[in-house]
Amino acid sequence: MVVIQALVDGILIGGVYAVVSIGLTLVFGVMGIVNFAQAEFLMLGMFVGYLAWAWLGLDPLIGSVIAFAVVFALGCVVQHTLIRRVLRAPPVAQIFLTVGLLIVIENAALLGFGSQFRSVTTPYQTSALRLGDLFISVPYLAAFLMSVVSGLALWLFMNRSWYGRAMRATAQDGMAASLMGIDADRMRRIAFGLGVGLTAFGGAVILPYFTVHPTVGAQFVVLMFTVVVLGGLGSVAGAIVGGQAVGIIQSLSAMAFPVQLQNLVLFLVFITVLALRPQGLVGGAR
Amino acid sequence: MSAPVATSPGTEPLLSVEELHAGYDAADVLHGVSVTVGMGEFVCVLGANTAGKSTLLRSVSRLVPRSRGRIRFAGTDLMALPSHAVPGLGIAHVPEGRHVFPDMTVEENLRLGAFAVRHDPAISGRFDGVLRLFPRLAERRRQRAGTLSGGEQQMVAVGRALMLGPRLLILDEPSHGLAPIVVDELHRAFLDIHAGGTAILLVEQNTALALSVASRGYVLESGRVVLADTADALADNPRVREAYLGI
Amino acid sequence: MDKRSDHRGPRLLRPTRRAALQLGGAAVAMPFIARLAYAQKGPVNVGVVLPLSGANAQFGVNSLRGIELAAEQINKAGGIKALGGAPINLVVADSTSTPTTAATVGQRLITQNSVVAILGAYASSLSIALSEVTERRDIPLLTMSFSDQITSRGFKNIFQVVAKASTLGRAQLTETAEIAKDAGQTLQRVAIMYEDTAYGTSQAAGIRETAKQTGITIVMDEAYPLGITDVTPLINKLRGADAQAVFPASYLNDGLQIIRSMRQQRIGIPVIGGAGGYIIPDFKQGLGEFAEGVLSIAPGSHDLAPELTAEFRQRHGYFMTHEALEHAVCLSVLVQAIETSGKADPAAIRDTLHTTRFDQGWAKAMTGGAVKFDQTGLNTLSEPLMVQWQGDDLVTVGPSKYAKKKPIWTA
Amino acid sequence: MRPSLVLAAVALTVAALLPLTLDPAGYLIRVLTVTLLFAAMSQAWNIVGGLANQMSLGHAAFFGIGAYTSTILLVNYGLSPWIGMLAGAALGAAFAALVSVPTMGLRGHYFALATLAFGEVMRVIANSWPSLTGGPAGISVPFAPDSLLMLQFKSTLPYYYLMLAALVLVTAVFVVTKAGALGYRLRAVKENPDAAEVVGVDTARVKTIAAVMSGGIMAALGTAYAQFTFFFDPETVFGLGPISIRVALIAILGGIGTAAGPIVGAFVIIPLEELANSWLSAGTAGLSQLVYGILLMLIILVQPRGLVAPVEALAARWRTRRAR
Amino acid sequence: MTDAVLAVANLSKQFGGLQALRDVSFTVAAGEILGLIGPNGAGKTTLFNTLVGIHKVSAGSIRLEGREIAGRKPHRIAALGLTKTFQNVALFMDMSVLDNVLVGALLRQDLRSARVTAAACLDRVGLGAVLHKRAGDLSFPERARVELARALATGPRVILLDEVMAALNAVEMDAIMGLIRSLRADGLTIIVVEHHMRAIMTLCDRIVVLNFGQKIAEGSPAAIARDPQVVRAYLGREYQA
């Protein structure tokens, strides 16, 4: 019973980890850039979701759509003005541009929103479904369902729409893509916007149980990298598997080890996967 | 050697490249190359590995970072366009090394070829046509392109280009590294395509093969056109026979 | 929900906007003015080192607000009388959230701004790193950090205005046992969960030790990483632990998650927080009605001196948090020490701090109504308080001599 | 005499004489001392990051090992930090060799992420092992009177010279390594590992040697740091932001793979942080960091190959011209 | 062949499901120039990479002067005297020409004497004048020569040349062929992969033909040119003329 409870919790939270991490892997897949500032867009998404709740009275699950839209637009601008300029630079320059971006966004948020912790109150955030001895947290379930929906939407977009296919084509072979008449710059803009937008969406979705403040991104950054590495850098399907893996590892490892060591367990898995299967658990499939 | 630019649209060649200088880093690869392809013509470009053949093709597709000179296609100045605007004019380019999208299925690869004309209702008909031209691709429709053999990948690359319904098909080393039997199949297909009215600009390492399918050819050496003639005349040219046919 | 958004959201944003407007003038000019002023032999420079950016920024900002309030009051009342009405001039530096920076900016305040003393730096690790500098430069450091290490190293220039963490931890357990007993329950089995920071671990150590002495069984004792993203594993463990009460030591985010997850799993046992995130206004804001009845230990409380703290509430729209209060106390005590010694000299201030009992100004807001440091620099009069969320407010419910209301025990 | 040597001699003379004009326990000298320390740390990173082109984001692991080893030996056994420094360096080097095993085959982003994870592992361990490390509450170097043997001084001046000596030493190691056979092999591995192997370079071995040198030196500097600040906690010495990313950033902004790069980088970044902090932090929370971040991005966009790159290019042109 | 310097027996190499080499066997005698031809994708470069240890051997044996080298790392194999040049010219682009070759010379020498050896090797390939140029700034024909010099600097017994003539015109090609012959005269054993038939035919003592990872023929240039299987698989119908 305890194991099942842990498993259920792990799967639910894993869905959320997946959706906040998909953006990171998408950006890497399309552009080969590891975006260290990705978690800052999560924070921005949380703030947008929070303000939509505070000013407009919108539930964060609805506000998440606004969060997506706002951060998507911001992402397009960031891609166009900053990231685009380092696409051909050495990886070190790419990494450190995003580190600079991280510092800027975090502190701009501190200036703009203040340092307070903010959280929303929703009617369902302290309720749970009960199935016998099993508790299913409603905010977790809601976040999970929203993650599944957004994951499906992304899958449909990537596989069923011209733009999605064009984006995948750009990721797999930018030169060939432009020979198909695909504007690679534009695809990269959309990919970056989509990547950070989805992360922002994930941020808003967890608002019913999580608190937002300008440095909240730091809580997620290493986690996101773990998810993405487990799934394979650049693999969207991998991020989903990786998210589930991280959620379940965290949840189950707490039964055998002190909770304090849950990150240690994750990092060891992370290093092992990198050393033995750098392409990630899902392998070559993108 | 460059053909005078025709003023009347009826006589203007489909593609005309004049005095093209192009290159990547510091040094130019092409030093004033002029090449034309007439409406429905089959032209090949010969030369050694680094003579600049690919650079010429890539200049037409606007993939070369630095270039000056004139490139016109059916009345449009290509020099002013970004690379992604070129296919929309009806130029399909099959790059050297095939460059299929490895993680997409054969069908997805083919359909992407029509991206530039994605609202064209003729696409589905063209798709069937490609499968008829390369029946092997029909069998492997749902297979990931990266898992195909070299020859099949080349068929995907060519088929993908055909999905555009191009007026000019640019082929860069299509038989490179393929088994002879596959090469034969491909070249039969090229002749079919040409017979359908599509102009072809072919770069081919296999000189003999190229001259056997094309009607006219250019020989490039160190970024300059050193010979331009009909295919038959080139095949008889002692210089070509010595340097490129090894006879 | 609408009422809440009108009330809370915009108002919380207001101070920040105002601060942003000041940026052009005050921020850039401040060090310059400070130096200029010193040259005129007028104001007394007091250094303030706080985490104004990074993870602890909120607490740094609150602390600064407390200090600014106290400084304004002192200057408005005619400055330091012993120095002919010299005003207090605060020289503020951001320690970020890293100890090295805290030490470096401390050094800067001492040598560039000739501060007579430094206040700060909120987090224990920052204060300890800062104290390594102040000790070697013989500059008094007044702090409200409650780590035991602050005053256990034999330093002469450090002053801790609040009770130590181990004392807080002990009181957290004994006071709770007291409250339970009054409600007719004997506390026998408790659970501890704490973030693995200096604050969380030392607090937990205090509880653990006291439990051993008083024969209370700890049925769950779990540290968790700072910045935990999912507390359900903790709550699952708690569910199986059969505890009568749970003692979490955490900042806000984990605290909210813990309470929410407990409510989801219908675990109704009393929660006794270990200060941190449990005694700030955002706790109530985040939990709404579910905050009701949550107890916490606190090193100080605004309701002990409503006449002093009311102005803070008026100005910022929320009650004066304990870190704001205690930092105001630090400044107030410092000024009283200058008044007593009659000169703005670090050594004289230090000696006065060690030997005098301060019972004026903000010192009245502390337990015992005064501050008295021993030779290690610890305020011997400070006692931990038990506070509880009742209605919209955080009220002192123990020990009984300080209690403003009766505690509610909901077991 | 080569112009770079003249420049180095002048810089060293200035560095040696400069403190005589400063308050020996003041702020400026402290900033300079921290700058020298970070220049030395970055130079140590440069052996792996610059010569072997392995973008480590986990160098805090070695730094922290050095800081903890000497301090634990000092606190528990009263051992001189000099001995602790040697022990720490040995442990750091051993850990570097250990880390090399699983990360050897990784390149680019993958290597960066794997090393990042190693740094975090060390932080978690230090945090969860309070009986050894003092845990999250941190660890203090016991207060002692001025003593060279115990490497403890009230004034900042001796630390300034300590860090200066460290920087000179590490830079010398870097220069000698780069100019020696190992340097050629490392550069070959960096440019094309397969080609290097085929012409006889044992790529695994040279990479491990570089990692061990770098890790050992980094650990020794950790001890110097511990003795300088007297207090640290796991986040301070094992931190991703404060150490790992910072040392890499300094080298990269200065110019990766060059001896001058880390020094130039440190003398830009650390004072920049200080200036931003002292001018802006009193006003609005976050402003100083915001300005700092914007400046970082600007430098990277304008000069992605580092600040010394244009100078290097000039020097290279000059050399070629002379060679003709 | 008893005086075989290099003996390859039943060599196979698999990448995942792909059989890149299947049961390839041949020997090379001391001082011989062996040609290796076949269509692209036939496995020539894979064979080279497997011989020098870049790729792990899946099955079979490789003996260099009687010593088994299969399974050893490339730098060990280089130390035993077998090295290669790279098809697409894998120079250390950011290093000077001299330093490129120096790295090879360091295999058996200290820095000081390696520098002398490197300069001598560069002289030998006719690049004595551009020692201090950045390798990346060289022309393609020059780069191929640096590759050769770098390989020579390791002091090899056997050297594998992967399309060193790919980018050359007829004059340059003759020069390189002269160079290769002079190396053989110095006692080096050489295997060349080359597309250019004229070069292969005139330069090589013997030729091995690969197709689809398998050896389909072996023999003198004249015999190979007549071999029907080779003509069908590789040379194409035009060569029948």
Side-chain angles (χ1 to χ4, degrees), chain A residues 5 9 17 53-54 111 115 117 119 125-126 128 137 139-140 210-211 254 258-260, chain C residues 1 5 16 58 196 222-223 227 229-230 236-237 239 252-253 257 260 264 266 282 286 290:
Chain A
Q5 176 77 55
D9 291 340
Y17 291 167
W53 171 78
L111 281 169
S115 55
F117 291 79
S119 61
Q125 69 192 154
T126 50
S137 153
Y140 274 38
F210 222 81
T211 320
V259 178
Q260 189 182 16
Chain C
M1 200 188 282
S5 58
T16 317
Q58 175 179 21
D196 64 353
E222 196 83 39
T229 48
D230 172 27
N236 287 344
K237 282 195 179 184
R239 180 142 61 107
L252 185 68
N253 183 42
Q257 282 197 75
R260 284 179 188 149
Q264 284 168 13
R266 290 159 224 179
D282 309 75
F290 296 104

Short mmCIF file of all heavy atoms in Angstrom, two decimals, chain A residues 5 9 17 53-54 111 115 117 119 125-126 128 137 139-140 210-211 254 258-260, chain C residues 1 5 16 58 196 222-223 227 229-230 236-237 239 252-253 257 260 264 266 282 286 290:
data_model
loop_
_atom_site.label_atom_id
_atom_site.label_comp_id
_atom_site.label_asym_id
_atom_site.label_seq_id
_atom_site.Cartn_x
_atom_site.Cartn_y
_atom_site.Cartn_z
N GLN A 5 1.11 4.06 -2.88
CA GLN A 5 0.94 5.49 -2.62
C GLN A 5 2.15 6.26 -3.15
O GLN A 5 2.01 7.27 -3.84
CB GLN A 5 0.79 5.74 -1.11
CG GLN A 5 0.71 7.20 -0.72
CD GLN A 5 -0.65 7.82 -1.02
OE1 GLN A 5 -1.68 7.32 -0.56
NE2 GLN A 5 -0.66 8.88 -1.80
N ASP A 9 2.10 9.04 -6.13
CA ASP A 9 2.64 10.38 -5.93
C ASP A 9 3.76 10.67 -6.93
O ASP A 9 3.82 11.75 -7.51
CB ASP A 9 3.23 10.51 -4.51
CG ASP A 9 2.14 10.49 -3.45
OD1 ASP A 9 0.97 10.75 -3.81
OD2 ASP A 9 2.44 10.19 -2.28
N TYR A 17 7.06 17.46 -13.47
CA TYR A 17 8.48 17.62 -13.78
C TYR A 17 8.69 17.55 -15.29
O TYR A 17 9.50 18.27 -15.86
CB TYR A 17 9.32 16.53 -13.10
CG TYR A 17 9.39 16.64 -11.60
CD1 TYR A 17 9.88 15.59 -10.82
CD2 TYR A 17 8.98 17.80 -10.94
CE1 TYR A 17 9.97 15.69 -9.45
CE2 TYR A 17 9.05 17.90 -9.57
CZ TYR A 17 9.54 16.84 -8.82
OH TYR A 17 9.62 16.93 -7.47
N TRP A 53 -4.30 35.56 -11.05
CA TRP A 53 -5.18 35.19 -9.94
C TRP A 53 -5.49 36.41 -9.08
O TRP A 53 -6.63 36.69 -8.75
CB TRP A 53 -4.50 34.11 -9.09
CG TRP A 53 -5.22 33.80 -7.82
CD1 TRP A 53 -6.34 33.04 -7.67
CD2 TRP A 53 -4.88 34.29 -6.52
NE1 TRP A 53 -6.72 33.01 -6.36
CE2 TRP A 53 -5.85 33.77 -5.62
CE3 TRP A 53 -3.87 35.10 -6.02
CZ2 TRP A 53 -5.82 34.05 -4.25
CZ3 TRP A 53 -3.83 35.37 -4.66
CH2 TRP A 53 -4.81 34.85 -3.79
N ALA A 54 -4.41 37.18 -8.76
CA ALA A 54 -4.58 38.29 -7.83
C ALA A 54 -5.38 39.44 -8.45
O ALA A 54 -6.18 40.08 -7.79
CB ALA A 54 -3.22 38.79 -7.37
N LEU A 111 13.27 43.16 -8.70
CA LEU A 111 12.94 44.59 -8.80
C LEU A 111 11.47 44.79 -9.08
O LEU A 111 10.82 45.67 -8.52
CB LEU A 111 13.75 45.22 -9.94
CG LEU A 111 15.19 45.57 -9.65
CD1 LEU A 111 15.92 45.93 -10.93
CD2 LEU A 111 15.24 46.73 -8.67
N SER A 115 10.47 40.94 -3.12
CA SER A 115 11.08 39.69 -2.68
C SER A 115 10.10 38.76 -1.95
O SER A 115 10.47 37.66 -1.57
CB SER A 115 12.24 40.01 -1.75
OG SER A 115 11.78 40.84 -0.69
N PHE A 117 7.36 36.07 -0.79
CA PHE A 117 6.80 34.81 -1.27
C PHE A 117 5.33 35.07 -1.54
O PHE A 117 4.66 35.70 -0.73
CB PHE A 117 6.92 33.74 -0.19
CG PHE A 117 8.32 33.31 0.09
CD1 PHE A 117 9.14 34.09 0.87
CD2 PHE A 117 8.80 32.12 -0.43
CE1 PHE A 117 10.45 33.69 1.14
CE2 PHE A 117 10.10 31.72 -0.17
CZ PHE A 117 10.93 32.51 0.62
N SER A 119 1.60 33.22 -2.73
CA SER A 119 0.94 31.99 -3.13
C SER A 119 -0.54 32.25 -3.26
O SER A 119 -1.08 33.19 -2.68
CB SER A 119 1.22 30.88 -2.11
OG SER A 119 0.73 31.26 -0.86
N GLN A 125 -7.09 23.30 -3.02
CA GLN A 125 -5.68 23.01 -2.81
C GLN A 125 -5.41 22.17 -1.57
O GLN A 125 -4.31 21.65 -1.43
CB GLN A 125 -4.82 24.28 -2.82
CG GLN A 125 -5.03 25.18 -1.64
CD GLN A 125 -4.37 26.54 -1.87
OE1 GLN A 125 -4.80 27.50 -1.30
NE2 GLN A 125 -3.37 26.62 -2.71
N THR A 126 -6.38 22.05 -0.69
CA THR A 126 -6.14 21.18 0.46
C THR A 126 -7.02 19.94 0.40
O THR A 126 -7.17 19.26 1.40
CB THR A 126 -6.39 21.93 1.77
OG1 THR A 126 -7.66 22.56 1.70
CG2 THR A 126 -5.32 22.96 2.03
N ALA A 128 -8.17 16.13 -1.26
CA ALA A 128 -7.59 14.95 -1.88
C ALA A 128 -8.70 13.95 -2.16
O ALA A 128 -9.71 13.92 -1.44
CB ALA A 128 -6.55 14.33 -0.97
N SER A 137 -3.82 13.66 -4.18
CA SER A 137 -3.89 15.10 -3.96
C SER A 137 -4.54 15.78 -5.16
O SER A 137 -4.13 15.57 -6.30
CB SER A 137 -2.48 15.62 -3.75
OG SER A 137 -2.40 16.96 -4.12
N PRO A 139 -4.64 19.09 -6.07
CA PRO A 139 -3.78 19.99 -6.85
C PRO A 139 -2.72 19.24 -7.66
O PRO A 139 -2.41 19.64 -8.78
CB PRO A 139 -3.13 20.88 -5.79
CG PRO A 139 -3.44 20.28 -4.48
CD PRO A 139 -4.64 19.43 -4.65
N TYR A 140 -2.21 18.13 -7.11
CA TYR A 140 -1.25 17.34 -7.88
C TYR A 140 -1.93 16.72 -9.09
O TYR A 140 -1.40 16.72 -10.19
CB TYR A 140 -0.66 16.20 -7.01
CG TYR A 140 0.52 16.61 -6.18
CD1 TYR A 140 0.58 17.86 -5.58
CD2 TYR A 140 1.59 15.74 -5.99
CE1 TYR A 140 1.66 18.23 -4.81
CE2 TYR A 140 2.68 16.11 -5.22
CZ TYR A 140 2.72 17.35 -4.63
OH TYR A 140 3.79 17.71 -3.88
N PHE A 210 2.44 25.42 -4.82
CA PHE A 210 3.80 25.93 -4.69
C PHE A 210 3.79 27.44 -4.52
O PHE A 210 2.86 28.11 -4.95
CB PHE A 210 4.64 25.53 -5.91
CG PHE A 210 6.02 25.09 -5.56
CD1 PHE A 210 6.25 23.80 -5.12
CD2 PHE A 210 7.09 25.97 -5.64
CE1 PHE A 210 7.52 23.38 -4.78
CE2 PHE A 210 8.36 25.55 -5.30
CZ PHE A 210 8.58 24.26 -4.87
N THR A 211 4.85 27.97 -3.94
CA THR A 211 4.94 29.39 -3.67
C THR A 211 5.89 30.03 -4.68
O THR A 211 6.86 29.40 -5.07
CB THR A 211 5.52 29.62 -2.26
OG1 THR A 211 4.95 28.66 -1.40
CG2 THR A 211 5.21 31.00 -1.76
N ALA A 254 12.59 7.83 -1.02
CA ALA A 254 12.30 8.34 0.32
C ALA A 254 11.92 7.21 1.26
O ALA A 254 11.98 7.35 2.48
CB ALA A 254 11.18 9.36 0.24
N PRO A 258 16.94 8.44 3.82
CA PRO A 258 16.41 9.69 4.36
C PRO A 258 16.03 10.63 3.21
O PRO A 258 16.69 10.63 2.17
CB PRO A 258 17.60 10.27 5.13
CG PRO A 258 18.51 9.14 5.39
CD PRO A 258 18.30 8.15 4.29
N VAL A 259 14.97 11.39 3.41
CA VAL A 259 14.54 12.32 2.37
C VAL A 259 15.67 13.28 2.01
O VAL A 259 15.82 13.71 0.88
CB VAL A 259 13.29 13.10 2.84
CG1 VAL A 259 12.86 14.10 1.79
CG2 VAL A 259 12.17 12.13 3.14
N GLN A 260 16.48 13.57 3.02
CA GLN A 260 17.59 14.50 2.82
C GLN A 260 18.50 14.06 1.67
O GLN A 260 19.09 14.88 0.98
CB GLN A 260 18.41 14.58 4.11
CG GLN A 260 19.46 15.67 4.10
CD GLN A 260 20.25 15.68 5.39
OE1 GLN A 260 20.24 14.72 6.15
NE2 GLN A 260 20.93 16.78 5.64
N MET C 1 -12.64 35.57 -3.36
CA MET C 1 -11.32 35.64 -3.96
C MET C 1 -11.02 37.06 -4.47
O MET C 1 -9.91 37.54 -4.40
CB MET C 1 -11.23 34.65 -5.13
CG MET C 1 -9.82 34.30 -5.50
SD MET C 1 -9.73 33.34 -6.99
CE MET C 1 -10.21 31.72 -6.37
N SER C 5 -7.85 39.61 -3.68
CA SER C 5 -6.91 40.13 -4.66
C SER C 5 -6.83 41.66 -4.56
O SER C 5 -5.77 42.24 -4.71
CB SER C 5 -7.32 39.69 -6.06
OG SER C 5 -8.62 40.14 -6.33
N THR C 16 7.45 48.16 -3.45
CA THR C 16 8.48 47.89 -4.42
C THR C 16 8.51 48.96 -5.50
O THR C 16 9.56 49.42 -5.91
CB THR C 16 8.22 46.53 -5.09
OG1 THR C 16 7.84 45.64 -4.07
CG2 THR C 16 9.43 46.06 -5.81
N GLN C 58 13.66 38.38 0.93
CA GLN C 58 12.46 38.88 1.60
C GLN C 58 12.75 39.24 3.06
O GLN C 58 12.31 40.27 3.55
CB GLN C 58 11.35 37.83 1.55
CG GLN C 58 10.16 38.29 2.36
CD GLN C 58 9.02 37.30 2.31
OE1 GLN C 58 9.23 36.12 2.03
NE2 GLN C 58 7.83 37.77 2.60
N ASP C 196 17.50 21.10 5.68
CA ASP C 196 18.88 20.87 6.13
C ASP C 196 19.73 22.13 5.98
O ASP C 196 20.74 22.15 5.31
CB ASP C 196 19.51 19.67 5.43
CG ASP C 196 19.66 19.86 3.93
OD1 ASP C 196 19.14 20.88 3.41
OD2 ASP C 196 20.29 19.01 3.29
N GLU C 222 13.21 13.64 10.41
CA GLU C 222 13.59 13.63 8.99
C GLU C 222 14.06 15.01 8.53
O GLU C 222 13.33 15.98 8.64
CB GLU C 222 12.38 13.19 8.16
CG GLU C 222 12.69 12.77 6.76
CD GLU C 222 13.18 11.33 6.66
OE1 GLU C 222 12.62 10.45 7.38
OE2 GLU C 222 14.08 11.08 5.86
N ALA C 223 15.29 15.05 8.03
CA ALA C 223 15.75 16.27 7.36
C ALA C 223 15.38 16.17 5.90
O ALA C 223 15.24 15.08 5.36
CB ALA C 223 17.26 16.40 7.51
N GLY C 227 14.85 23.69 -0.56
CA GLY C 227 14.32 23.82 -1.92
C GLY C 227 13.63 22.56 -2.40
O GLY C 227 13.54 22.30 -3.59
N THR C 229 11.01 20.08 -3.78
CA THR C 229 9.95 20.42 -4.73
C THR C 229 8.70 19.59 -4.48
O THR C 229 7.67 19.84 -5.10
CB THR C 229 10.42 20.19 -6.18
OG1 THR C 229 11.03 18.91 -6.25
CG2 THR C 229 11.41 21.24 -6.59
N ASP C 230 8.78 18.60 -3.64
CA ASP C 230 7.63 17.75 -3.40
C ASP C 230 7.72 17.19 -1.98
O ASP C 230 8.62 16.41 -1.68
CB ASP C 230 7.62 16.60 -4.43
CG ASP C 230 6.55 15.58 -4.11
OD1 ASP C 230 5.53 15.95 -3.49
OD2 ASP C 230 6.73 14.40 -4.50
N ASN C 236 3.82 11.29 3.72
CA ASN C 236 3.54 9.85 3.76
C ASN C 236 4.21 9.21 4.97
O ASN C 236 3.65 8.34 5.62
CB ASN C 236 4.03 9.18 2.47
CG ASN C 236 3.15 9.52 1.28
OD1 ASN C 236 2.03 9.99 1.45
ND2 ASN C 236 3.67 9.29 0.08
N LYS C 237 5.43 9.66 5.24
CA LYS C 237 6.12 9.12 6.42
C LYS C 237 5.41 9.55 7.70
O LYS C 237 5.27 8.76 8.64
CB LYS C 237 7.58 9.63 6.45
CG LYS C 237 8.47 8.89 5.49
CD LYS C 237 9.96 9.14 5.78
CE LYS C 237 10.79 8.34 4.79
NZ LYS C 237 12.23 8.42 5.02
N ARG C 239 2.32 10.20 8.06
CA ARG C 239 1.06 9.47 8.19
C ARG C 239 1.27 8.15 8.90
O ARG C 239 0.45 7.70 9.71
CB ARG C 239 0.46 9.24 6.80
CG ARG C 239 -0.85 8.49 6.80
CD ARG C 239 -1.80 9.03 5.75
NE ARG C 239 -1.26 8.91 4.40
CZ ARG C 239 -1.69 8.02 3.50
NH1 ARG C 239 -2.64 7.16 3.81
NH2 ARG C 239 -1.17 7.99 2.30
N LEU C 252 9.02 29.47 4.15
CA LEU C 252 7.62 29.54 3.80
C LEU C 252 7.14 28.44 2.86
O LEU C 252 6.16 27.76 3.12
CB LEU C 252 7.30 30.90 3.19
CG LEU C 252 5.82 31.07 2.91
CD1 LEU C 252 5.05 31.16 4.20
CD2 LEU C 252 5.57 32.28 2.05
N ASN C 253 7.84 28.27 1.74
CA ASN C 253 7.31 27.40 0.70
C ASN C 253 7.08 25.98 1.20
O ASN C 253 6.01 25.40 1.02
CB ASN C 253 8.25 27.39 -0.50
CG ASN C 253 7.71 26.57 -1.64
OD1 ASN C 253 6.52 26.64 -1.93
ND2 ASN C 253 8.55 25.75 -2.23
N GLN C 257 3.53 23.92 1.83
CA GLN C 257 3.33 22.60 1.22
C GLN C 257 3.02 21.55 2.28
O GLN C 257 2.17 20.69 2.09
CB GLN C 257 4.58 22.18 0.46
CG GLN C 257 4.77 22.83 -0.88
CD GLN C 257 5.80 22.05 -1.69
OE1 GLN C 257 5.50 20.97 -2.19
NE2 GLN C 257 7.00 22.55 -1.79
N ARG C 260 -0.52 22.04 3.65
CA ARG C 260 -1.52 21.67 2.64
C ARG C 260 -1.59 20.16 2.45
O ARG C 260 -2.67 19.57 2.38
CB ARG C 260 -1.21 22.34 1.30
CG ARG C 260 -1.57 23.82 1.29
CD ARG C 260 -1.21 24.43 -0.03
NE ARG C 260 -1.39 25.88 0.01
CZ ARG C 260 -0.65 26.73 -0.70
NH1 ARG C 260 0.29 26.28 -1.50
NH2 ARG C 260 -0.87 28.02 -0.62
N GLN C 264 -4.66 17.63 3.04
CA GLN C 264 -5.14 16.72 2.00
C GLN C 264 -5.27 15.31 2.54
O GLN C 264 -6.23 14.61 2.26
CB GLN C 264 -4.17 16.70 0.82
CG GLN C 264 -4.25 17.92 -0.07
CD GLN C 264 -3.08 17.97 -1.03
OE1 GLN C 264 -2.35 16.99 -1.19
NE2 GLN C 264 -2.89 19.11 -1.67
N ARG C 266 -5.69 14.52 5.48
CA ARG C 266 -6.50 14.60 6.72
C ARG C 266 -5.72 14.20 7.96
O ARG C 266 -6.16 13.42 8.78
CB ARG C 266 -7.76 13.75 6.56
CG ARG C 266 -8.67 14.45 5.52
CD ARG C 266 -9.65 13.57 4.90
NE ARG C 266 -9.68 13.85 3.47
CZ ARG C 266 -10.44 13.24 2.59
NH1 ARG C 266 -11.26 12.30 2.98
NH2 ARG C 266 -10.39 13.57 1.33
N ASP C 282 2.83 36.19 5.01
CA ASP C 282 2.57 35.39 3.82
C ASP C 282 2.07 34.00 4.16
O ASP C 282 1.41 33.35 3.34
CB ASP C 282 3.85 35.27 2.99
CG ASP C 282 4.48 36.62 2.75
OD1 ASP C 282 5.09 37.15 3.70
OD2 ASP C 282 4.33 37.15 1.65
N GLY C 286 -1.04 32.61 2.32
CA GLY C 286 -0.97 31.42 1.49
C GLY C 286 -1.95 30.33 1.90
O GLY C 286 -2.41 29.56 1.06
N PHE C 290 -6.72 27.71 6.61
CA PHE C 290 -5.97 26.55 7.07
C PHE C 290 -4.79 26.93 7.95
O PHE C 290 -4.12 26.07 8.50
CB PHE C 290 -5.52 25.70 5.89
CG PHE C 290 -6.69 25.12 5.14
CD1 PHE C 290 -7.09 25.65 3.93
CD2 PHE C 290 -7.41 24.07 5.69
CE1 PHE C 290 -8.18 25.14 3.26
CE2 PHE C 290 -8.51 23.56 5.02
CZ PHE C 290 -8.90 24.10 3.81
#
